[in-house]
Amino acid sequence: MSEDMEQLDLLDLFDFPAEPTGPVLNGMYYERSTDMFVSFVLGRRHYEEPAKGCPHLKEWQERIKRERSI
């Protein structure tokens, strides 16, 4: 190998998104500030449903509010 050759790190040429600082949300959560049930997929907001008039069972709503409130 010639001494004038330089090895390049090709990954330095790309800007990769920063690693998330907190946990990545997946699933259904209750958002207190908006009083809505919110679905997250890989940390991105996917679907929203108002808590008032929610068609899901009351037991499910209470469990989500208690266990997965954000």
Side-chain angles (χ1 to χ4, degrees):
M1 211 154 61
S2 174
E3 291 191 25
D4 60 341
M5 294 182 109
E6 178 183 349
Q7 183 173 352
L8 297 175
D9 187 359
L10 295 178
L11 296 178
D12 286 341
L13 300 175
F14 298 99
D15 290 329
F16 292 104
E19 291 293 319
T21 57
V24 176
L25 298 178
N26 275 314
M28 190 66 94
Y29 292 82
Y30 173 70
E31 189 174 58
R32 289 179 290 236
S33 62
T34 60
D35 193 32
M36 296 184 91
F37 292 102
V38 182
S39 161
F40 284 90
V41 177
L42 298 175
R44 296 185 70 183
R45 196 179 205 92
H46 179 67
Y47 176 78
E48 298 176 349
E49 188 169 317
K52 289 186 170 96
C54 179
H56 300 291
L57 296 173
K58 286 288 182 193
E59 295 84 20
W60 179 87
Q61 292 180 38
E62 292 303 317
R63 182 176 60 83
I64 296 298
K65 284 181 179 182
R66 186 176 56 250
E67 296 174 4
R68 303 191 99 190
S69 188
I70 56 173

Coordinates of all heavy atoms in Angstrom, one line a residue:
M1 N 0.8 -1.2 0.0 CA 0.0 0.0 0.0 C 0.9 1.2 0.0 O 1.9 1.3 0.7 CB -0.9 0.0 1.2 CG -2.2 0.7 0.9 SD -3.6 0.3 1.9 CE -3.4 0.6 3.5
S2 N 0.5 2.2 -0.7 CA 1.2 3.5 -0.8 C 1.0 4.3 0.4 O 0.0 4.3 1.0 CB 0.7 4.2 -2.0 OG 1.4 5.5 -2.1
E3 N 2.1 5.0 0.8 CA 2.0 5.8 2.0 C 1.2 7.1 1.9 O 0.8 7.7 2.8 CB 3.4 6.1 2.5 CG 4.1 4.9 3.1 CD 5.4 5.2 3.8 OE1 5.5 6.4 4.3 OE2 6.3 4.4 3.8
D4 N 0.9 7.5 0.6 CA 0.2 8.8 0.4 C -1.3 8.5 0.4 O -2.1 9.4 0.1 CB 0.6 9.5 -0.8 CG 0.5 8.6 -2.1 OD1 0.4 7.4 -2.0 OD2 0.5 9.2 -3.2
M5 N -1.8 7.3 0.6 CA -3.2 7.0 0.7 C -3.8 7.3 2.0 O -3.1 7.1 3.0 CB -3.4 5.5 0.3 CG -3.1 5.1 -1.0 SD -3.4 3.4 -1.3 CE -4.8 3.5 -2.4
E6 N -5.0 7.8 2.0 CA -5.6 8.1 3.3 C -7.0 7.4 3.4 O -7.7 7.3 2.4 CB -5.9 9.6 3.3 CG -6.6 10.1 4.6 CD -6.9 11.6 4.6 OE1 -6.4 12.3 3.7 OE2 -7.7 12.0 5.4
Q7 N -7.3 6.8 4.5 CA -8.5 6.1 4.7 C -9.6 7.1 5.1 O -9.4 7.8 6.1 CB -8.4 4.9 5.7 CG -9.6 4.1 5.9 CD -9.4 2.9 6.8 OE1 -8.3 2.6 7.1 NE2 -10.5 2.3 7.0
L8 N -10.7 7.1 4.4 CA -11.8 8.0 4.8 C -12.9 7.2 5.5 O -13.2 6.1 5.2 CB -12.4 8.6 3.5 CG -11.5 9.4 2.7 CD1 -12.2 9.9 1.4 CD2 -11.0 10.7 3.4
D9 N -13.5 7.9 6.5 CA -14.7 7.3 7.1 C -15.9 7.9 6.4 O -16.3 9.1 6.6 CB -14.7 7.7 8.6 CG -15.8 7.0 9.4 OD1 -16.5 6.3 8.8 OD2 -15.8 7.3 10.6
L10 N -16.5 7.1 5.6 CA -17.7 7.5 4.8 C -18.9 7.9 5.6 O -19.7 8.7 5.2 CB -18.1 6.4 3.8 CG -17.0 6.1 2.8 CD1 -17.5 5.0 1.8 CD2 -16.6 7.3 2.0
L11 N -19.0 7.4 6.8 CA -20.1 7.8 7.7 C -20.0 9.2 8.2 O -21.0 9.8 8.6 CB -20.2 6.8 8.9 CG -20.5 5.4 8.5 CD1 -20.6 4.5 9.7 CD2 -21.8 5.3 7.7
D12 N -18.8 9.8 8.1 CA -18.7 11.2 8.5 C -19.3 12.2 7.5 O -19.6 13.3 7.8 CB -17.2 11.6 8.6 CG -16.6 11.0 9.9 OD1 -17.3 10.7 10.8 OD2 -15.3 11.0 9.9
L13 N -19.6 11.7 6.3 CA -20.2 12.5 5.2 C -21.7 12.7 5.4 O -22.3 13.6 4.8 CB -20.0 11.9 3.9 CG -18.5 11.6 3.5 CD1 -18.4 10.9 2.2 CD2 -17.8 13.0 3.4
F14 N -22.3 12.0 6.3 CA -23.8 12.0 6.5 C -24.1 12.6 7.8 O -23.4 12.4 8.8 CB -24.4 10.6 6.4 CG -24.2 10.0 5.0 CD1 -23.2 9.1 4.8 CD2 -25.0 10.3 3.9 CE1 -23.0 8.5 3.6 CE2 -24.8 9.7 2.7 CZ -23.8 8.8 2.5
D15 N -25.2 13.3 7.9 CA -25.8 13.9 9.1 C -26.9 12.9 9.6 O -28.0 12.8 9.0 CB -26.4 15.2 8.9 CG -25.4 16.3 8.7 OD1 -24.2 16.1 9.2 OD2 -25.7 17.3 7.9
F16 N -26.6 12.1 10.6 CA -27.5 11.2 11.2 C -28.3 11.9 12.3 O -27.8 12.8 13.0 CB -26.8 10.0 11.8 CG -26.2 9.1 10.7 CD1 -24.8 9.1 10.5 CD2 -27.0 8.3 9.9 CE1 -24.3 8.3 9.6 CE2 -26.4 7.5 9.0 CZ -25.1 7.5 8.8
P17 N -29.6 11.6 12.4 CA -30.4 12.3 13.5 C -29.8 11.9 14.9 O -29.3 10.8 15.1 CB -31.8 11.7 13.3 CG -31.7 10.5 12.4 CD -30.4 10.7 11.7
A18 N -29.9 12.8 15.8 CA -29.4 12.6 17.1 C -30.2 11.5 17.8 O -31.4 11.4 17.6 CB -29.5 13.9 17.9
E19 N -29.5 10.8 18.7 CA -30.2 9.8 19.5 C -31.2 10.5 20.4 O -30.9 11.5 21.0 CB -29.2 9.0 20.3 CG -28.3 8.1 19.4 CD -29.0 7.0 18.7 OE1 -29.9 6.4 19.4 OE2 -28.8 6.7 17.6
P20 N -32.4 9.9 20.6 CA -33.3 10.5 21.6 C -32.8 10.5 23.0 O -32.1 9.5 23.4 CB -34.6 9.6 21.4 CG -34.1 8.3 20.8 CD -32.9 8.6 20.0
T21 N -33.1 11.5 23.7 CA -32.5 11.6 25.1 C -33.4 10.9 26.1 O -32.9 10.4 27.1 CB -32.5 13.1 25.5 OG1 -33.8 13.7 25.4 CG2 -31.5 13.9 24.6
G22 N -34.7 10.7 25.8 CA -35.6 10.0 26.7 C -36.1 8.8 26.0 O -35.7 8.4 24.9
P23 N -37.0 8.1 26.7 CA -37.6 6.9 26.1 C -38.4 7.2 24.9 O -39.1 8.2 24.8 CB -38.4 6.3 27.3 CG -38.7 7.5 28.1 CD -37.6 8.4 28.0
V24 N -38.4 6.3 23.9 CA -39.2 6.5 22.7 C -40.6 5.9 23.0 O -40.7 4.7 23.4 CB -38.6 5.7 21.5 CG1 -39.5 5.8 20.3 CG2 -37.2 6.4 21.2
L25 N -41.6 6.7 22.8 CA -43.0 6.2 23.2 C -43.6 5.3 22.0 O -43.4 5.6 20.9 CB -43.9 7.4 23.3 CG -43.6 8.4 24.5 CD1 -44.6 9.5 24.5 CD2 -43.5 7.7 25.8
N26 N -44.2 4.3 22.5 CA -44.9 3.4 21.6 C -46.2 2.9 22.3 O -46.2 2.6 23.4 CB -44.1 2.1 21.3 CG -43.1 2.3 20.1 OD1 -43.5 2.8 19.1 ND2 -41.9 1.8 20.3
G27 N -47.3 3.0 21.6 CA -48.6 2.6 22.1 C -49.5 3.8 22.4 O -49.3 4.9 22.0
M28 N -50.5 3.5 23.2 CA -51.5 4.5 23.5 C -51.2 5.1 24.9 O -50.9 4.4 25.9 CB -52.9 3.8 23.6 CG -54.1 4.8 23.6 SD -54.2 5.8 22.2 CE -55.4 4.9 21.2
Y29 N -51.3 6.4 25.0 CA -51.1 7.1 26.2 C -52.2 8.1 26.5 O -52.9 8.5 25.5 CB -49.8 7.9 26.1 CG -48.6 7.0 26.1 CD1 -48.1 6.5 24.9 CD2 -47.9 6.8 27.3 CE1 -47.0 5.6 24.9 CE2 -46.7 6.0 27.3 CZ -46.3 5.4 26.1 OH -45.2 4.6 26.1
Y30 N -52.4 8.6 27.7 CA -53.3 9.6 28.0 C -52.6 10.9 28.2 O -51.7 11.0 29.1 CB -54.1 9.3 29.3 CG -55.0 10.4 29.7 CD1 -56.1 10.8 29.0 CD2 -54.7 11.1 30.9 CE1 -56.9 11.8 29.4 CE2 -55.5 12.2 31.3 CZ -56.6 12.5 30.6 OH -57.4 13.5 30.9
E31 N -52.9 11.9 27.5 CA -52.2 13.2 27.6 C -53.1 14.1 28.5 O -54.2 14.6 28.0 CB -52.0 13.8 26.2 CG -51.1 15.0 26.2 CD -50.9 15.4 24.7 OE1 -51.8 15.7 24.0 OE2 -49.7 15.5 24.4
R32 N -52.6 14.4 29.7 CA -53.4 15.2 30.6 C -53.6 16.6 30.1 O -54.7 17.1 30.3 CB -52.6 15.3 32.0 CG -52.6 14.0 32.7 CD -51.9 14.2 34.0 NE -50.5 14.3 33.7 CZ -49.5 13.6 34.2 NH1 -49.8 12.7 35.0 NH2 -48.2 13.8 33.8
S33 N -52.7 17.3 29.5 CA -52.8 18.7 29.1 C -53.9 18.9 28.1 O -54.5 19.9 28.0 CB -51.5 19.2 28.6 OG -51.1 18.5 27.4
T34 N -54.2 17.9 27.2 CA -55.2 18.0 26.2 C -56.4 17.1 26.5 O -57.4 17.2 25.7 CB -54.7 17.6 24.8 OG1 -54.2 16.3 24.9 CG2 -53.5 18.5 24.4
D35 N -56.4 16.3 27.5 CA -57.5 15.4 27.9 C -57.8 14.5 26.7 O -59.0 14.3 26.3 CB -58.7 16.1 28.3 CG -59.7 15.2 29.0 OD1 -59.3 14.2 29.6 OD2 -61.0 15.5 28.8
M36 N -56.7 13.9 26.1 CA -56.9 13.1 24.9 C -56.1 11.8 25.1 O -55.1 11.8 25.7 CB -56.4 13.8 23.6 CG -57.2 15.0 23.3 SD -56.7 15.7 21.7 CE -57.8 14.8 20.6
F37 N -56.6 10.7 24.4 CA -55.8 9.5 24.3 C -55.0 9.6 23.0 O -55.6 9.9 22.0 CB -56.7 8.3 24.3 CG -57.4 8.0 25.6 CD1 -58.7 8.4 25.8 CD2 -56.7 7.4 26.6 CE1 -59.4 8.1 27.0 CE2 -57.3 7.2 27.8 CZ -58.7 7.5 28.0
V38 N -53.7 9.4 23.1 CA -52.8 9.6 22.0 C -52.0 8.4 21.7 O -51.5 7.8 22.6 CB -51.9 10.8 22.3 CG1 -51.0 11.1 21.1 CG2 -52.6 12.1 22.7
S39 N -52.0 8.0 20.4 CA -51.2 6.9 20.0 C -49.9 7.3 19.5 O -49.8 8.3 18.7 CB -52.0 6.1 18.9 OG -51.2 5.3 18.1
F40 N -48.8 6.7 19.9 CA -47.5 7.0 19.4 C -46.9 5.7 18.7 O -47.0 4.6 19.2 CB -46.5 7.4 20.6 CG -46.8 8.7 21.1 CD1 -47.7 9.0 22.1 CD2 -46.1 9.8 20.6 CE1 -47.9 10.2 22.6 CE2 -46.3 11.1 21.1 CZ -47.2 11.3 22.1
V41 N -46.2 6.0 17.6 CA -45.4 4.9 16.9 C -44.0 5.4 16.8 O -43.7 6.4 16.1 CB -46.1 4.6 15.5 CG1 -45.3 3.6 14.8 CG2 -47.5 4.2 15.7
L42 N -43.1 4.7 17.4 CA -41.7 5.0 17.4 C -41.4 6.5 17.7 O -40.6 7.2 17.1 CB -41.0 4.7 16.0 CG -41.1 3.3 15.6 CD1 -40.5 3.1 14.2 CD2 -40.3 2.4 16.5
G43 N -42.1 6.9 18.8 CA -41.9 8.3 19.3 C -42.7 9.4 18.5 O -42.6 10.5 18.9
R44 N -43.4 9.0 17.5 CA -44.1 10.1 16.7 C -45.6 9.9 16.9 O -46.1 8.8 16.9 CB -43.8 9.9 15.2 CG -42.3 10.2 14.9 CD -42.0 10.1 13.5 NE -42.6 11.3 12.9 CZ -42.6 11.6 11.6 NH1 -42.0 10.7 10.8 NH2 -43.1 12.7 11.1
R45 N -46.2 11.1 17.1 CA -47.7 11.1 17.3 C -48.4 10.6 16.1 O -48.1 11.0 15.0 CB -48.0 12.6 17.6 CG -49.4 12.8 18.2 CD -49.5 14.3 18.4 NE -50.4 14.6 19.4 CZ -50.1 14.8 20.7 NH1 -48.9 14.7 21.1 NH2 -51.1 15.0 21.6
H46 N -49.3 9.6 16.3 CA -49.9 8.9 15.2 C -51.4 9.2 15.1 O -51.9 9.5 14.1 CB -49.6 7.4 15.3 CG -50.2 6.6 14.2 ND1 -49.8 6.7 12.9 CD2 -51.2 5.7 14.2 CE1 -50.5 5.9 12.1 NE2 -51.4 5.3 12.9
Y47 N -52.1 9.1 16.3 CA -53.5 9.2 16.3 C -54.0 9.8 17.6 O -53.4 9.5 18.6 CB -54.1 7.8 16.1 CG -55.6 7.7 16.2 CD1 -56.4 8.0 15.2 CD2 -56.2 7.2 17.4 CE1 -57.8 7.9 15.3 CE2 -57.6 7.1 17.5 CZ -58.4 7.5 16.4 OH -59.7 7.4 16.5
E48 N -55.0 10.6 17.6 CA -55.6 11.2 18.8 C -57.0 10.9 18.9 O -57.7 10.9 17.9 CB -55.4 12.8 18.7 CG -53.9 13.2 18.7 CD -53.8 14.7 18.6 OE1 -54.9 15.4 18.3 OE2 -52.7 15.2 18.7
E49 N -57.5 10.8 20.1 CA -58.9 10.5 20.4 C -59.3 11.3 21.6 O -58.7 11.1 22.7 CB -59.1 9.0 20.5 CG -60.6 8.7 20.6 CD -60.7 7.2 20.5 OE1 -60.1 6.5 19.7 OE2 -61.5 6.6 21.3
P50 N -60.3 12.1 21.6 CA -60.8 12.8 22.8 C -61.2 11.9 23.9 O -61.9 10.9 23.6 CB -61.9 13.7 22.4 CG -62.2 13.4 21.0 CD -61.2 12.4 20.5
A51 N -60.9 12.2 25.2 CA -61.3 11.3 26.3 C -62.8 11.4 26.5 O -63.4 10.3 26.8 CB -60.6 11.7 27.5
K52 N -63.4 12.5 26.2 CA -64.8 12.6 26.3 C -65.5 12.0 25.1 O -65.1 12.3 24.0 CB -65.3 14.1 26.4 CG -64.9 14.7 27.8 CD -65.4 16.1 27.9 CE -65.3 16.6 29.3 NZ -64.1 17.3 29.6
G53 N -66.3 11.1 25.3 CA -67.0 10.4 24.2 C -66.2 9.3 23.6 O -66.5 8.7 22.6
C54 N -65.1 8.9 24.3 CA -64.3 7.8 23.8 C -65.0 6.5 23.8 O -65.7 6.1 24.8 CB -63.0 7.7 24.8 SG -61.9 6.3 24.3
P55 N -65.0 5.7 22.7 CA -65.8 4.5 22.6 C -65.2 3.3 23.4 O -65.9 2.3 23.5 CB -65.9 4.2 21.1 CG -64.6 4.8 20.6 CD -64.3 6.0 21.5
H56 N -64.0 3.4 23.9 CA -63.4 2.3 24.6 C -64.0 2.1 26.0 O -64.6 3.0 26.5 CB -61.9 2.5 24.8 CG -61.2 2.7 23.5 ND1 -61.0 1.6 22.6 CD2 -60.6 3.7 22.9 CE1 -60.3 2.0 21.5 NE2 -60.1 3.3 21.7
L57 N -63.9 0.9 26.5 CA -64.4 0.6 27.8 C -63.9 1.5 28.9 O -62.7 1.9 28.9 CB -64.1 -0.9 28.2 CG -64.7 -2.0 27.3 CD1 -64.1 -3.3 27.7 CD2 -66.2 -2.0 27.4
K58 N -64.7 1.8 29.9 CA -64.3 2.7 31.0 C -63.1 2.1 31.8 O -62.2 2.8 32.2 CB -65.5 2.9 32.0 CG -66.5 3.9 31.4 CD -66.0 5.3 31.4 CE -67.1 6.2 30.9 NZ -66.6 7.5 30.5
E59 N -63.1 0.8 31.9 CA -62.0 0.1 32.6 C -60.7 0.4 31.9 O -59.6 0.6 32.5 CB -62.2 -1.4 32.8 CG -63.4 -1.7 33.7 CD -64.7 -1.7 32.9 OE1 -64.7 -1.8 31.6 OE2 -65.8 -1.6 33.6
W60 N -60.7 0.3 30.6 CA -59.5 0.5 29.8 C -59.1 2.0 29.9 O -57.9 2.2 30.1 CB -59.8 0.2 28.3 CG -58.6 0.4 27.4 CD1 -57.6 -0.4 27.1 CD2 -58.3 1.6 26.7 NE1 -56.7 0.2 26.3 CE2 -57.1 1.4 26.0 CE3 -59.0 2.9 26.6 CZ2 -56.6 2.4 25.2 CZ3 -58.4 3.8 25.8 CH2 -57.2 3.6 25.1
Q61 N -60.0 2.9 29.8 CA -59.7 4.3 29.9 C -59.0 4.6 31.3 O -58.0 5.3 31.4 CB -60.9 5.2 29.8 CG -61.5 5.1 28.4 CD -62.8 6.0 28.3 OE1 -62.8 7.0 28.9 NE2 -63.7 5.5 27.5
E62 N -59.6 4.1 32.4 CA -59.1 4.3 33.7 C -57.7 3.7 33.9 O -56.8 4.3 34.5 CB -60.0 3.8 34.8 CG -61.3 4.5 34.9 CD -61.1 6.0 35.1 OE1 -60.3 6.4 36.0 OE2 -61.8 6.8 34.5
R63 N -57.4 2.6 33.3 CA -56.1 1.9 33.4 C -55.1 2.7 32.6 O -54.0 3.0 33.1 CB -56.2 0.5 32.8 CG -54.9 -0.3 33.0 CD -54.9 -1.7 32.5 NE -55.3 -1.9 31.1 CZ -54.5 -1.8 30.1 NH1 -53.2 -1.5 30.3 NH2 -55.0 -2.0 28.9
I64 N -55.4 3.2 31.4 CA -54.5 4.0 30.6 C -54.2 5.3 31.3 O -53.0 5.7 31.4 CB -55.0 4.2 29.2 CG1 -55.1 2.9 28.4 CG2 -54.1 5.2 28.4 CD1 -53.8 2.2 28.2
K65 N -55.2 5.9 31.9 CA -55.0 7.2 32.6 C -54.1 7.0 33.8 O -53.3 7.8 34.1 CB -56.3 7.8 33.1 CG -57.1 8.4 32.0 CD -58.4 9.0 32.5 CE -59.2 9.7 31.4 NZ -60.5 10.3 31.9
R66 N -54.2 5.9 34.5 CA -53.5 5.6 35.7 C -52.0 5.1 35.4 O -51.1 5.6 36.0 CB -54.2 4.5 36.5 CG -53.6 4.1 37.8 CD -54.4 3.1 38.6 NE -54.6 1.9 37.9 CZ -55.8 1.4 37.3 NH1 -56.8 2.2 37.5 NH2 -55.8 0.3 36.7
E67 N -51.9 4.3 34.3 CA -50.6 3.7 34.1 C -49.7 4.4 33.0 O -48.5 4.3 33.0 CB -50.8 2.2 33.6 CG -51.3 1.3 34.7 CD -51.6 -0.1 34.2 OE1 -51.3 -0.4 33.1 OE2 -52.2 -0.8 35.0
R68 N -50.4 5.1 32.0 CA -49.7 5.6 30.9 C -50.0 7.1 30.6 O -50.3 7.5 29.5 CB -50.0 4.8 29.6 CG -49.6 3.3 29.8 CD -49.7 2.6 28.6 NE -48.3 2.5 28.1 CZ -48.0 2.0 26.9 NH1 -48.9 1.7 26.0 NH2 -46.7 2.0 26.5
S69 N -50.0 7.8 31.7 CA -50.3 9.3 31.6 C -49.0 10.1 31.3 O -48.0 9.9 32.0 CB -50.9 9.7 32.9 OG -51.4 11.0 32.8
I70 N -49.1 11.0 30.4 CA -48.0 11.8 30.0 C -48.4 13.3 30.2 O -49.5 13.6 30.2 CB -47.4 11.5 28.6 CG1 -48.5 11.7 27.6 CG2 -46.8 10.2 28.6 CD1 -48.0 11.6 26.2

